[in-house]
Amino acid sequence: MGERYAVRAEGMEKRYGDKHALAGFGLAVREGTVHGLLGPNGAGKTTAVRILSTLVRLDGGRAEVAGLDVVRQARQVRARIGLTGQYAAVDEVLTGRQNLEMFGRLFHLGGRRARVRAAELLERFDLADAADRGVGEYSGGMRRRLDLAASMILSPAVLFLDEPTTGLDPRSRGEVWEAVRALVADGTTVLLTTQYLEEADKLASRITVIDQGRAIADDTPNGLKDLVGGDRIEVVVADRAEIPRVVKTVARVCEGEPEADEEASRVHAPVTDRVAALTEVARTLQDEGVAVEDIGLRRPSLDDVFLRLTGLRTTAAEEAVAA
Ligand SMILES: Nc1ncnc2c1ncn2[C@@H]1O[C@H](COP(=O)(O)OP(=O)(O)O)[C@@H](O)[C@H]1O
Ligand SMILES: [Mg+2]
């Protein structure tokens, strides 16, 4: 069964003067999915998205979007994509509806089709009630949803979202996530860049981690978490002086080596049989009369993954220098 890809790129190179913005970056995005491109500020995310959306020239390597070469078939690529940037392109003075109708006419939809499409999109992005209010009065989340709607005017096959929730409060961020989920349910493929690990975790079925212009990992969110090991049990004690006793108990019950974080009054250790370990540790500590503030199981977060990956990269670079 052949997988179909909305984006395939290999060995992408981009230099700005002596700055290597992309240094052999590649990724493959399956059709009909949300793919996360996760990396810190300056990693090369926007550069990659701008090349894939034909706005910036590739210096080396190759990239295809919707099966079309981004350099040789740039015009056809542009007809199949939508792009939402970090900065919204909507006009403050106009209403939400007027903005969308204007975009529709810019894309040569014709007056009536532009009106119909605008109404559909206002409904879809939950903006129907605010449609005839000036965008100046919109909240951050509403503006970002309007921006998403504008990029969907032509029903693109592939949508690039460059940090769609940066600068939004948690509630607005959740609203944008809902909108992205709705798009994918409709069959659009989304490549979403983010600095938020939680966002990639929530939305993406696959994640490419980018750092210094290179892909340093590519996996499912769970696959990435497995990189840093499995579940851990965590015990937070009321009194730090109890830490040595807790370490002993946890060591006896769990097979992995416990670690203590004195600062946080916390002991943690890897576990395999999650529930058995949790009940056993909780009961033993209670029998021993240790005052426990909190006890629980924790799956490694993407934060752990990211620290681990970028940490490994640093180590590898240091070793290369030392060699
Ligand atoms: N137009 C440009 N001119 C010079 N340097 C640039 C330009 N665009 C990006 N860069 C540099 O390339 C690197 C990657 O930038 P960018 O792709 O914007 O990263 P991200 O979107 O992940 O924050 C950064 O070091 C940035 O300073
Ligand atoms: Mg960027």
Side-chain angles (χ1 to χ4, degrees):
M1 197 177 68
E3 292 284 357
R4 292 169 60 86
Y5 291 94
V7 178
R8 294 195 88 144
E10 276 172 17
M12 286 168 82
E13 299 279 340
K14 182 68 195 177
R15 276 179 217 89
Y16 291 108
D18 55 8
K19 175 82 213 173
H20 224 142
L22 291 182
F25 177 73
L27 91 169
V29 177
R30 289 204 178 95
E31 261 182 19
T33 64
V34 180
H35 191 106
L37 180 55
L38 173 69
N41 215 352
K45 302 180 297 295
T46 297
T47 303
V49 162
R50 291 178 74 82
I51 289 171
L52 294 172
S53 49
T54 79
L55 298 175
V56 163
R57 211 196 58 229
L58 197 57
D59 290 339
R62 49 181 213 89
E64 280 182 2
V65 172
L68 300 158
D69 188 282
V70 295
V71 179
R72 290 194 316 267
Q73 297 167 294
R75 203 163 43 84
Q76 292 102 303
V77 168
R78 279 198 288 273
R80 287 168 175 76
I81 62 169
L83 170 64
T84 303
Q86 243 160 291
Y87 308 98
V90 295
D91 189 322
E92 297 254 334
V93 179
L94 301 179
T95 67
R97 188 190 308 280
Q98 286 167 336
N99 265 290
L100 293 183
E101 289 179 0
M102 182 189 73
F103 277 111
R105 282 195 299 274
L106 272 175
F107 294 130
H108 312 295
L109 277 192
R112 184 139 56 90
R113 278 188 60 210
R115 274 197 299 281
V116 170
R117 186 69 180 141
E120 274 170 19
L121 290 168
L122 288 163
E123 193 67 47
R124 161 110 66 95
F125 290 95
D126 202 17
L127 290 167
D129 291 342
D132 298 309
R133 271 160 49 197
V135 171
E137 295 171 34
Y138 280 24
S139 69
M142 289 162 78
R143 292 171 67 110
R144 219 52 76 85
R145 267 147 48 217
L146 185 64
D147 203 33
L148 272 177
S151 62
M152 291 302 292
I153 296 264
L154 295 182
S155 310
V158 186
L159 182 63
F160 297 101
L161 301 180
D162 195 8
E163 300 200 22
T165 66
T166 292
L168 294 184
D169 58 70
R171 176 157 162 231
S172 304
R173 190 174 291 171
E175 291 169 2
V176 171
W177 289 349
E178 275 313 304
V180 172
R181 290 198 186 99
L183 288 179
V184 178
D186 257 21
T188 304
T189 303
V190 174
L191 177 63
L192 169 133
T193 81
T194 184
Q195 302 186 39
Y196 302 120
L197 309 144
E198 187 202 359
E199 181 158 286
D201 196 14
K202 282 236 159 66
L203 287 177
S205 53
R206 206 168 175 90
I207 296 171
T208 301
V209 183
I210 182 173
D211 191 35
Q212 301 196 339
R214 264 179 242 273
I216 57 171
D218 184 281
D219 211 327
T220 60
N222 279 334
L224 286 178
K225 288 175 194 168
D226 286 344
L227 278 179
V228 289
D231 298 313
R232 300 183 80 83
I233 187 166
E234 282 193 345
V235 181
V236 179
V237 287
D239 177 4
R240 258 181 232 186
E242 301 275 32
I243 285 185
R245 267 171 80 191
V246 176
V247 167
K248 252 196 227 150
T249 305
V250 171
R252 207 166 57 237
V253 174
C254 309
E255 54 274 42
E257 182 82 11
E259 286 174 41
D261 177 353
E262 299 269 348
E263 199 73 3
S265 306
R266 192 173 64 114
V267 173
H268 55 105
V271 292
T272 40
D273 195 342
R274 298 159 44 93
V275 177
L278 184 62
T279 27
E280 188 67 17
V281 169
R283 207 184 48 220
T284 312
L285 289 175
Q286 193 173 25
D287 289 350
E288 291 173 356
V290 175
V292 171
E293 191 130 303
D294 195 16
I295 182 166
L297 292 163
R298 195 166 81 89
R299 182 133 179 70
S301 71
L302 282 177
D303 280 295
D304 300 328
V305 174
F306 199 71
L307 276 174
R308 174 72 183 276
L309 286 170
T310 51
L312 286 179
R313 191 254 307 147
T314 310
T315 313
E318 280 162 8
E319 278 164 8
V321 170

mmCIF file of all heavy atoms in Angstrom, residues 64-88:
data_model
loop_
_atom_site.group_PDB
_atom_site.id
_atom_site.type_symbol
_atom_site.label_atom_id
_atom_site.label_comp_id
_atom_site.label_asym_id
_atom_site.label_seq_id
_atom_site.Cartn_x
_atom_site.Cartn_y
_atom_site.Cartn_z
ATOM 1 N N GLU A 64 8.983 18.898 -3.013
ATOM 2 C CA GLU A 64 7.737 18.771 -3.762
ATOM 3 C C GLU A 64 6.561 19.025 -2.837
ATOM 4 O O GLU A 64 6.552 18.556 -1.700
ATOM 5 C CB GLU A 64 7.584 17.344 -4.295
ATOM 6 C CG GLU A 64 8.380 17.065 -5.533
ATOM 7 C CD GLU A 64 8.138 15.639 -6.039
ATOM 8 O OE1 GLU A 64 7.326 14.925 -5.414
ATOM 9 O OE2 GLU A 64 8.774 15.277 -7.030
ATOM 10 N N VAL A 65 5.575 19.760 -3.350
ATOM 11 C CA VAL A 65 4.328 19.979 -2.625
ATOM 12 C C VAL A 65 3.191 19.545 -3.549
ATOM 13 O O VAL A 65 3.164 19.966 -4.715
ATOM 14 C CB VAL A 65 4.182 21.461 -2.220
ATOM 15 C CG1 VAL A 65 2.795 21.724 -1.646
ATOM 16 C CG2 VAL A 65 5.250 21.838 -1.198
ATOM 17 N N ALA A 66 2.296 18.719 -3.031
ATOM 18 C CA ALA A 66 1.209 18.159 -3.839
ATOM 19 C C ALA A 66 1.754 17.518 -5.115
ATOM 20 O O ALA A 66 1.152 17.612 -6.187
ATOM 21 C CB ALA A 66 0.168 19.245 -4.169
ATOM 22 N N GLY A 67 2.923 16.897 -4.998
ATOM 23 C CA GLY A 67 3.517 16.197 -6.135
ATOM 24 C C GLY A 67 4.175 17.111 -7.164
ATOM 25 O O GLY A 67 4.606 16.638 -8.221
ATOM 26 N N LEU A 68 4.284 18.399 -6.846
ATOM 27 C CA LEU A 68 4.847 19.363 -7.796
ATOM 28 C C LEU A 68 6.138 19.964 -7.252
ATOM 29 O O LEU A 68 6.241 20.240 -6.056
ATOM 30 C CB LEU A 68 3.835 20.488 -8.047
ATOM 31 C CG LEU A 68 2.495 20.043 -8.636
ATOM 32 C CD1 LEU A 68 1.408 21.081 -8.357
ATOM 33 C CD2 LEU A 68 2.664 19.800 -10.138
ATOM 34 N N ASP A 69 7.097 20.179 -8.131
ATOM 35 C CA ASP A 69 8.382 20.720 -7.722
ATOM 36 C C ASP A 69 8.256 22.215 -7.386
ATOM 37 O O ASP A 69 7.767 22.995 -8.202
ATOM 38 C CB ASP A 69 9.383 20.521 -8.867
ATOM 39 C CG ASP A 69 10.788 20.882 -8.439
ATOM 40 O OD1 ASP A 69 11.101 22.091 -8.388
ATOM 41 O OD2 ASP A 69 11.550 19.959 -8.134
ATOM 42 N N VAL A 70 8.710 22.611 -6.191
ATOM 43 C CA VAL A 70 8.482 23.997 -5.752
ATOM 44 C C VAL A 70 9.279 25.011 -6.568
ATOM 45 O O VAL A 70 8.952 26.196 -6.574
ATOM 46 C CB VAL A 70 8.787 24.221 -4.248
ATOM 47 C CG1 VAL A 70 7.821 23.440 -3.369
ATOM 48 C CG2 VAL A 70 10.226 23.909 -3.901
ATOM 49 N N VAL A 71 10.330 24.568 -7.256
ATOM 50 C CA VAL A 71 11.102 25.497 -8.073
ATOM 51 C C VAL A 71 10.574 25.500 -9.513
ATOM 52 O O VAL A 71 10.168 26.535 -10.035
ATOM 53 C CB VAL A 71 12.611 25.142 -8.045
ATOM 54 C CG1 VAL A 71 13.399 26.103 -8.934
ATOM 55 C CG2 VAL A 71 13.135 25.186 -6.612
ATOM 56 N N ARG A 72 10.537 24.332 -10.129
ATOM 57 C CA ARG A 72 10.164 24.281 -11.559
ATOM 58 C C ARG A 72 8.664 24.477 -11.778
ATOM 59 O O ARG A 72 8.241 24.903 -12.843
ATOM 60 C CB ARG A 72 10.602 22.943 -12.158
ATOM 61 C CG ARG A 72 12.122 22.810 -12.298
ATOM 62 C CD ARG A 72 12.465 21.638 -13.200
ATOM 63 N NE ARG A 72 11.641 20.473 -12.873
ATOM 64 C CZ ARG A 72 12.018 19.515 -12.029
ATOM 65 N NH1 ARG A 72 13.194 19.552 -11.455
ATOM 66 N NH2 ARG A 72 11.216 18.503 -11.764
ATOM 67 N N GLN A 73 7.844 24.117 -10.775
ATOM 68 C CA GLN A 73 6.386 24.216 -10.959
ATOM 69 C C GLN A 73 5.766 25.137 -9.911
ATOM 70 O O GLN A 73 4.676 24.879 -9.404
ATOM 71 C CB GLN A 73 5.778 22.810 -10.877
ATOM 72 C CG GLN A 73 6.274 21.898 -11.993
ATOM 73 C CD GLN A 73 5.913 20.450 -11.729
ATOM 74 O OE1 GLN A 73 6.412 19.841 -10.781
ATOM 75 N NE2 GLN A 73 5.041 19.901 -12.552
ATOM 76 N N ALA A 74 6.481 26.229 -9.640
ATOM 77 C CA ALA A 74 6.074 27.126 -8.552
ATOM 78 C C ALA A 74 4.633 27.629 -8.721
ATOM 79 O O ALA A 74 3.881 27.699 -7.757
ATOM 80 C CB ALA A 74 7.041 28.304 -8.462
ATOM 81 N N ARG A 75 4.267 27.955 -9.947
ATOM 82 C CA ARG A 75 2.938 28.529 -10.169
ATOM 83 C C ARG A 75 1.841 27.513 -9.834
ATOM 84 O O ARG A 75 0.870 27.842 -9.155
ATOM 85 C CB ARG A 75 2.817 29.007 -11.618
ATOM 86 C CG ARG A 75 1.761 30.089 -11.819
ATOM 87 C CD ARG A 75 1.973 30.805 -13.150
ATOM 88 N NE ARG A 75 2.286 29.857 -14.220
ATOM 89 C CZ ARG A 75 1.376 29.180 -14.917
ATOM 90 N NH1 ARG A 75 0.093 29.338 -14.658
ATOM 91 N NH2 ARG A 75 1.742 28.322 -15.854
ATOM 92 N N GLN A 76 2.035 26.260 -10.265
ATOM 93 C CA GLN A 76 1.038 25.228 -9.957
ATOM 94 C C GLN A 76 0.999 24.942 -8.450
ATOM 95 O O GLN A 76 -0.057 24.664 -7.897
ATOM 96 C CB GLN A 76 1.336 23.919 -10.703
ATOM 97 C CG GLN A 76 1.147 23.998 -12.204
ATOM 98 C CD GLN A 76 2.480 24.118 -12.920
ATOM 99 O OE1 GLN A 76 3.248 25.053 -12.643
ATOM 100 N NE2 GLN A 76 2.765 23.199 -13.822
ATOM 101 N N VAL A 77 2.175 24.998 -7.814
ATOM 102 C CA VAL A 77 2.204 24.791 -6.360
ATOM 103 C C VAL A 77 1.366 25.870 -5.684
ATOM 104 O O VAL A 77 0.520 25.576 -4.832
ATOM 105 C CB VAL A 77 3.654 24.815 -5.801
ATOM 106 C CG1 VAL A 77 3.648 24.884 -4.275
ATOM 107 C CG2 VAL A 77 4.434 23.586 -6.266
ATOM 108 N N ARG A 78 1.566 27.114 -6.108
ATOM 109 C CA ARG A 78 0.841 28.226 -5.463
ATOM 110 C C ARG A 78 -0.673 28.065 -5.580
ATOM 111 O O ARG A 78 -1.409 28.506 -4.704
ATOM 112 C CB ARG A 78 1.283 29.570 -6.050
ATOM 113 C CG ARG A 78 2.588 30.054 -5.433
ATOM 114 C CD ARG A 78 2.806 31.533 -5.667
ATOM 115 N NE ARG A 78 3.151 31.813 -7.060
ATOM 116 C CZ ARG A 78 4.398 31.782 -7.537
ATOM 117 N NH1 ARG A 78 5.404 31.524 -6.742
ATOM 118 N NH2 ARG A 78 4.623 32.041 -8.804
ATOM 119 N N ALA A 79 -1.130 27.429 -6.641
ATOM 120 C CA ALA A 79 -2.572 27.249 -6.825
ATOM 121 C C ALA A 79 -3.140 26.199 -5.868
ATOM 122 O O ALA A 79 -4.356 26.092 -5.725
ATOM 123 C CB ALA A 79 -2.865 26.856 -8.272
ATOM 124 N N ARG A 80 -2.253 25.428 -5.215
ATOM 125 C CA ARG A 80 -2.744 24.333 -4.374
ATOM 126 C C ARG A 80 -2.489 24.525 -2.878
ATOM 127 O O ARG A 80 -2.781 23.648 -2.084
ATOM 128 C CB ARG A 80 -2.088 23.012 -4.819
ATOM 129 C CG ARG A 80 -2.653 22.516 -6.131
ATOM 130 C CD ARG A 80 -1.801 21.392 -6.689
ATOM 131 N NE ARG A 80 -2.392 20.822 -7.886
ATOM 132 C CZ ARG A 80 -2.360 21.398 -9.089
ATOM 133 N NH1 ARG A 80 -1.767 22.576 -9.246
ATOM 134 N NH2 ARG A 80 -2.916 20.820 -10.121
ATOM 135 N N ILE A 81 -1.919 25.671 -2.525
ATOM 136 C CA ILE A 81 -1.563 25.850 -1.113
ATOM 137 C C ILE A 81 -2.222 27.079 -0.502
ATOM 138 O O ILE A 81 -2.666 27.985 -1.210
ATOM 139 C CB ILE A 81 -0.028 25.999 -0.935
ATOM 140 C CG1 ILE A 81 0.478 27.241 -1.678
ATOM 141 C CG2 ILE A 81 0.692 24.736 -1.377
ATOM 142 C CD1 ILE A 81 1.906 27.609 -1.348
ATOM 143 N N GLY A 82 -2.261 27.078 0.824
ATOM 144 C CA GLY A 82 -2.637 28.257 1.586
ATOM 145 C C GLY A 82 -1.540 28.497 2.597
ATOM 146 O O GLY A 82 -0.834 27.565 2.992
ATOM 147 N N LEU A 83 -1.379 29.745 2.987
ATOM 148 C CA LEU A 83 -0.306 30.078 3.929
ATOM 149 C C LEU A 83 -0.830 31.081 4.939
ATOM 150 O O LEU A 83 -1.421 32.088 4.568
ATOM 151 C CB LEU A 83 0.873 30.682 3.159
ATOM 152 C CG LEU A 83 2.002 31.313 3.986
ATOM 153 C CD1 LEU A 83 2.712 30.286 4.834
ATOM 154 C CD2 LEU A 83 2.994 32.007 3.065
ATOM 155 N N THR A 84 -0.642 30.769 6.211
ATOM 156 C CA THR A 84 -0.966 31.730 7.255
ATOM 157 C C THR A 84 0.312 32.054 7.988
ATOM 158 O O THR A 84 0.968 31.162 8.501
ATOM 159 C CB THR A 84 -1.997 31.146 8.233
ATOM 160 O OG1 THR A 84 -3.136 30.776 7.492
ATOM 161 C CG2 THR A 84 -2.410 32.173 9.254
ATOM 162 N N GLY A 85 0.666 33.305 7.985
ATOM 163 C CA GLY A 85 1.943 33.702 8.569
ATOM 164 C C GLY A 85 1.818 34.019 10.034
ATOM 165 O O GLY A 85 0.749 33.922 10.624
ATOM 166 N N GLN A 86 2.952 34.364 10.631
ATOM 167 C CA GLN A 86 2.966 34.750 12.028
ATOM 168 C C GLN A 86 2.181 36.050 12.214
ATOM 169 O O GLN A 86 1.718 36.353 13.280
ATOM 170 C CB GLN A 86 4.406 34.968 12.467
ATOM 171 C CG GLN A 86 4.846 34.010 13.537
ATOM 172 C CD GLN A 86 6.357 33.921 13.588
ATOM 173 O OE1 GLN A 86 7.016 33.398 12.693
ATOM 174 N NE2 GLN A 86 6.920 34.470 14.631
ATOM 175 N N TYR A 87 2.103 36.843 11.148
ATOM 176 C CA TYR A 87 1.434 38.130 11.249
ATOM 177 C C TYR A 87 0.239 38.150 10.316
ATOM 178 O O TYR A 87 0.358 37.881 9.132
ATOM 179 C CB TYR A 87 2.410 39.255 10.918
ATOM 180 C CG TYR A 87 3.644 39.132 11.741
ATOM 181 C CD1 TYR A 87 4.792 38.535 11.229
ATOM 182 C CD2 TYR A 87 3.638 39.518 13.079
ATOM 183 C CE1 TYR A 87 5.909 38.365 12.009
ATOM 184 C CE2 TYR A 87 4.749 39.342 13.868
ATOM 185 C CZ TYR A 87 5.893 38.762 13.330
ATOM 186 O OH TYR A 87 6.989 38.579 14.114
ATOM 187 N N ALA A 88 -0.919 38.459 10.893
ATOM 188 C CA ALA A 88 -2.157 38.406 10.125
ATOM 189 C C ALA A 88 -2.181 39.489 9.049
ATOM 190 O O ALA A 88 -1.682 40.584 9.241
ATOM 191 C CB ALA A 88 -3.330 38.583 11.075
#
